[in-house]
Amino acid sequence: MSQQPVKLTAKGRATRQRIIEGAAAEVRTRGAVATTLDDVCRATATSKSQLFHYFPDGREQLMYAVAEHEADRVLLDQEPYLSDLTSWAAWDAWRDAVLARYREQGTTCPLGVLMTQLTKVTPASREVTTRLLEQWQQRITDGVRAMREQGATAPDLDPARVGAALLAGIQGGVSILLQTGRLTHLEAALDVGISGLRAGA
Amino acid sequence: MSQQPVKLTAKGRATRQRIIEGAAAEVRTRGAVATTLDDVCRATATSKSQLFHYFPDGREQLMYAVAEHEADRVLLDQEPYLSDLTSWAAWDAWRDAVLARYREQGTTCPLGVLMTQLTKVTPASREVTTRLLEQWQQRITDGVRAMREQGATAPDLDPARVGAALLAGIQGGVSILLQTGRLTHLEAALDVGISGLRAGA
DNA sequence: CAAGAATTGGACCGGCAAGTCCAGAAAAGC
DNA sequence: GCTTTTCTGGACTTGCCGGTCCAATTCTTG
């Protein structure tokens, strides 16, 4: 759905990309529901016809492209730590990266918007967030397993279960951040989660 | 904002209540964004004029009333366990109650809708969800403190911090449930969270 | 330098949904 | 019973926003 069948020149690709990024920014600040196509046109200095030229299926298709774009960001922003959780130092660095990320962006959260809004608006984008969650949890679970194999955690710990709990904590922490503006819950979820891992060693 | 300044008769109060409940049901199933005032009228067998008679500020005010209504439900549904987390048996019963609740309602979640949709639509309802979160965490924190005083947890554990982490886990578990339809993350968050409490005793 | 394709601007259309209005029915109060 | 207030039905207005259309223009390519 996100692929463009017709031929695009370099200029065309650039315009298409500009539209996606502008739309993503708009969605992040105003919310997916409140973002109109006219807003996107204004923000990206394009016209309606361009928009529908690059996204023939209209708003739906654009929002899907935005979802993909934002989903990529979420994981990339946690690298290189997320893919290499093989020492407690790495875990701490990851924790700090996640917190720093959300501290700086405040209530403007790509994932939050993705999860809480785009899905309702664009059923197709549910698949994007589902895939994102799976990948994210996979990375965390891999990290837990790595630590267990080092004997750094309780030996009988179930990596998938713990990974799921940790991911849930992060999600909830972010939700609460978006609601209240407070970072405390995200921080607590990460710290309690990680120290729980260490505890059983 | 949710109070009606003009005089209401018994019949009027009943109608107003019917509108709120019908609107809440509609919001739960269709989502806040997708629910139109005409939907509400149809679902509650009322007319537009009644709607604006009881909610002069229109959609905004109605959604606020729905938010309040749903917020009440969320905590009530966890009783009597949530307010009496003074034994591990009570904690387990609470866990089961939460899981059962969300299992049965599936992706139809009052709080989820509240948090993820109403806030964006109706800024005023942010205050409602914030208050809800505060009360919820207070109850959990009280429970943690009670267990600690019994010597049933690690003595150096910070109830507020652990309570925050647990609440975050629940929120995230619910978010993920709404997204993917899977209950595993909520379950993992509760189980890992509670067993983490028990661990340090 | 054509010829065709890709790109762009912007006016326009149509539907939907929030909100208004008013007249009439029902009920409350005296 | 009569007046006043509350309650109800539903037609109507208004504005917004997604989507269409077409002509103009710029690119690509031979």
Side-chain angles (χ1 to χ4, degrees), chain B residues 9 12 15 47 49-50 53-54:
Chain B
T9 67
T15 301
S47 64
S49 69
Q50 296 184 64
H53 179 68
Y54 295 107

Side-chain angles (χ1 to χ4, degrees), chain B residues 10 12 23 25 30 38 44-45 53 57 94 96 99 126 129 139-140 155 181 192-195 198-200:
Chain B
R30 312 164 86 98
D38 291 301
T44 59
H53 179 68
D57 293 340
W94 171 62
D96 291 344
L99 278 179
R126 171 174 301 225
T129 61
R139 307 268 164 89
I140 297 178
V192 171
I194 296 178
S195 73
R198 276 171 154 139

Side-chain angles (χ1 to χ4, degrees), chain B residues 6-29:
Chain B
V6 288
K7 216 40 165 115
L8 289 186
T9 67
K11 189 179 177 186
R13 252 175 286 124
T15 301
R16 188 183 143 96
Q17 191 61 24
R18 192 177 78 238
I19 292 175
I20 292 178
E21 280 164 15
E26 210 67 5
V27 164
R28 249 176 275 132
T29 57

Side-chain angles (χ1 to χ4, degrees), chain A residues 20 22 35 58 82 133 149:
Chain A
I20 293 177
T35 299
L82 179 59
L133 286 175
E149 283 167 5

Side-chain angles (χ1 to χ4, degrees), chain A residues 9 12 15 47 49-50 53-54:
Chain A
T9 68
T15 301
S47 65
S49 71
Q50 297 183 64
H53 178 68
Y54 295 107

